[in-house]
Amino acid sequence: MPTFMKLDDAFRDWYLERTGVLLDKDLVLPVLRALQGHPEAARLWEEHISAILEKVGFKNTTHEKNIYTGKFCGEKVLLVRQVDDFALGCHQESTAKSVYSEIGAKLTLHNEAEGPFEYLGLVNSFDGYDVLQTRDYIKLSAESCIRRLLKAHGWDNPSPRESSNKPKPPLHESDVANLFNLAAGPVKNTPEHKALEAEQGFGYRSVLGEILFAYVLCRPDIGYAVTTLAKFSTAPNALHYKSLKHLAIYLRQTQDWGIMCWRTEPVDSLPEVPHTPMKLDDSLPVTPPPSHLRQLITHVDVAHANELRQR
Amino acid sequence: MACRSRTQSICAQSSTEAELIAANAAAKVTKYLHFILHESGYTQTEPTPIYEDNDSAIKIVNHSRPTDRSRYVEIRHFALQHWRLMKDIMLIHLPGVVNPADMLTKALGWVLHHRHAPYLMGHYGNPCQ
């Protein structure tokens, strides 16, 4: 069945330049060969791959269409699909290979010898995350994203004064009240704003955006700092700049932190990477542990601010 | 894991109402995760504990009746009472200082930050051992 696309201005301009004919906006264009950037490509790919995965034996969840489960080679298999990147969870590598070759065969067109579908081995990065798979745990971290940020701004090496092995907290506690109380900085697109940005040496919003990415990936520990600093992104003052840089330095000191998912049983085929558990502060009461391992736990807290600006 | 830190969309009249709204939002995410886990074959057999540090909010949910001072709260926030009876969730009291959600609502000093962040991110070691 042929697909048609509506003519957009870019195409009409191109056609006018090429042939001197201005096309009517109501015309449609038959698509002979789908290239990248085809307006229907996303939908067609979605339909195509969903049909294939269903045929292979996967079933997706109702709320998240890209999470699939299935049973292959006698074991349960989980699959996550991020458009055209696949991550598969199972016990035996042979199962993964067989599932991949099955999907690959279905993706191969009649005139191709081999489908454009490659088995890349053990996952070490996916969708922006760094994935460390070891005998006892899987760690999802944002290390490469943080390193990229630090490198781009020349913050990748600790200053000689920074000798303590204890990382700083994401925000200076004593600065927090001042973040709200001091006068706002110059608004964007003013000469004063440009001068402050030049003085500080980095763009507030761009650094904030990069840090936000790390937060969204797997760094809930900087959540409060990021959301607080984001409140000032239209008119940051010097203290906001300082706090943001402080946050970036915190990320440097803790760049290998990530979300650890502990295995119920060790997987001996994977390397053993020791993880030193952090020491608990004995002076504080204990947070209750889950009653069993697959239990979900929810924590809720609200900060109430009478001061409107601090909400 | 799912986390969220943001300003509430409505103006709560009391901290109890604010906590109720937050617990409601958390319960919705919990239910969503229940569905995904169930469909992936990891059904939650017990109600999910929601740890709260506001006693009155817990009492409103657990006793299933409004107090004089909570009658003005929007009825939709009382969905928690229903979900509790359906055994989807249960509300449990947890003192503020040990509630790891503190990390996303206030600026903590190093001691508390260093306690909550590793807890949420699983750095305290394998819970299976």
Side-chain angles (χ1 to χ4, degrees):
Chain A
M1 195 183 74
T3 346
F4 297 91
M5 60 180 268
K6 279 186 185 162
L7 294 188
D8 56 8
D9 291 339
F11 183 85
R12 289 169 72 228
D13 291 346
W14 173 79
Y15 199 81
L16 180 68
E17 201 178 296
R18 199 172 161 215
T19 65
V21 181
L22 182 64
L23 291 172
D24 190 341
K25 256 196 167 163
D26 295 331
L27 290 173
V28 290
L29 194 70
V31 177
L32 302 176
R33 194 178 288 268
L35 298 173
Q36 259 190 355
H38 181 296
E40 292 283 294
R43 189 178 63 82
L44 291 171
W45 163 249
E46 209 64 30
E47 271 175 24
H48 184 55
I49 192 67
S50 301
I52 287 177
L53 288 174
E54 198 176 318
K55 227 179 267 172
V56 169
F58 280 107
K59 194 178 175 307
N60 57 8
T61 62
T62 312
H63 293 309
E64 289 295 339
K65 296 286 183 200
N66 63 338
I67 298 178
Y68 299 83
T69 47
K71 205 163 182 196
F72 298 89
C73 313
E75 66 166 314
K76 186 174 167 171
V77 174
L78 296 169
L79 178 78
V80 181
R81 181 175 64 82
Q82 177 67 30
V83 189
D84 56 353
D85 288 323
F86 296 69
L88 192 129
C90 59
H91 288 292
Q92 301 293 331
E93 195 180 8
S94 58
T95 314
K97 279 187 174 152
S98 105
V99 172
Y100 271 65
S101 70
E102 215 176 314
I103 300 173
K106 291 248 175 4
L107 274 169
T108 311
L109 298 176
H110 60 85
N111 54 357
E112 284 176 334
E114 213 179 310
F117 194 67
E118 213 183 323
Y119 175 76
L120 295 171
L122 208 63
V123 175
N124 52 22
S125 74
F126 188 74
D127 202 15
Y129 294 95
D130 295 296
V131 184
L132 176 69
Q133 301 196 55
T134 72
R135 196 182 81 114
D136 302 294
Y137 60 87
I138 302 173
K139 187 171 83 175
L140 299 174
S141 66
E143 237 176 307
S144 32
C145 149
I146 293 169
R147 279 218 202 95
R148 217 178 307 132
L149 157 86
L150 294 170
K151 199 152 187 239
H153 293 92
W155 297 334
D156 36 1
N157 291 314
S159 77
R161 282 186 296 148
E162 228 180 275
S163 58
S164 148
N165 49 11
K166 187 167 97 175
K168 297 170 175 172
L171 280 180
H172 267 309
E173 230 181 335
S174 53
D175 279 345
V176 176
N178 288 334
L179 285 178
F180 293 96
N181 292 338
L182 294 185
V187 185
K188 220 181 158 220
N189 295 330
T190 56
E192 292 86 2
H193 180 269
K194 284 211 183 79
L196 182 61
E197 195 173 299
E199 187 194 319
Q200 299 290 339
F202 61 95
Y204 190 83
R205 286 167 74 115
S206 65
V207 171
L208 188 68
E210 287 165 80
I211 291 182
L212 183 75
F213 185 59
Y215 162 47
V216 177
L217 278 180
C218 56
R219 291 303 296 265
D221 54 325
I222 57 169
Y224 180 78
V226 171
T227 45
T228 304
L229 291 174
K231 291 173 185 173
F232 311 106
S233 53
T234 37
N237 63 29
L239 179 65
H240 301 140
Y241 274 95
K242 189 188 131 204
S243 303
L244 186 61
K245 188 170 173 188
H246 185 92
L247 179 56
I249 302 305
Y250 166 80
L251 283 180
R252 184 185 65 216
Q253 293 168 331
T254 59
Q255 53 187 286
D256 57 333
W257 283 25
I259 294 175
M260 317 272 292
C261 309
W262 293 91
R263 299 185 191 279
T264 43
E265 281 157 33
V267 175
D268 290 317
S269 57
L270 290 170
E272 189 178 350
V273 181
H275 172 84
T276 341
M278 290 192 177
K279 270 232 303 269
L280 265 175
D281 187 339
D282 305 328
S283 60
L284 291 165
V286 187
T287 318
S291 67
H292 61 95
L293 289 171
R294 292 214 169 121
Q295 189 183 30
L296 276 177
I297 295 188
T298 314
H299 293 277
V300 179
D301 190 33
V302 170
H304 188 70
N306 288 316
E307 168 69 66
L308 257 179
R309 286 180 305 165
Q310 295 193 12
R311 286 193 181 152
Chain B
M1 85 170 270
C3 71
R4 190 125 208 235
S5 169
R6 63 164 301 162
T7 311
Q8 276 179 1
S9 54
I10 67 159
C11 187
Q13 305 287 302
S14 65
S15 58
T16 302
E17 190 191 359
E19 296 268 2
L20 206 57
I21 296 166
N24 201 51
K28 283 195 267 188
V29 178
T30 309
K31 276 177 73 73
Y32 154 75
L33 292 174
H34 275 203
F35 289 134
I36 290 190
L37 286 172
H38 173 68
E39 283 186 287
S40 318
Y42 303 102
T43 309
Q44 294 287 310
T45 48
E46 288 166 37
T48 297
I50 294 184
Y51 290 106
E52 255 279 350
D53 56 9
N54 189 297
D55 242 341
S56 342
I58 295 172
K59 279 182 184 144
I60 288 174
V61 175
N62 287 355
H63 295 194
S64 283
R65 65 160 191 242
T67 61
D68 277 353
R69 297 177 68 177
S70 71
R71 286 187 213 275
Y72 67 90
V73 177
E74 291 264 355
I75 289 172
R76 61 194 168 112
H77 300 312
F78 289 87
L80 283 168
Q81 297 179 340
H82 179 66
W83 293 335
R84 180 186 144 261
L85 293 176
M86 303 287 286
K87 300 218 184 314
D88 283 335
I89 55 153
M90 55 182 175
L91 260 67
I92 298 176
H93 184 257
L94 187 66
V97 69
V98 285
N99 191 343
D102 256 24
M103 198 177 72
L104 289 153
T105 50
K106 37 191 91 69
L108 299 174
W110 178 247
V111 174
L112 279 179
H113 180 81
H114 200 88
R115 179 187 175 87
H116 294 330
Y119 175 83
L120 282 185
M121 294 161 80
H123 287 221
Y124 282 152
N126 196 341
C128 314
Q129 285 161 1

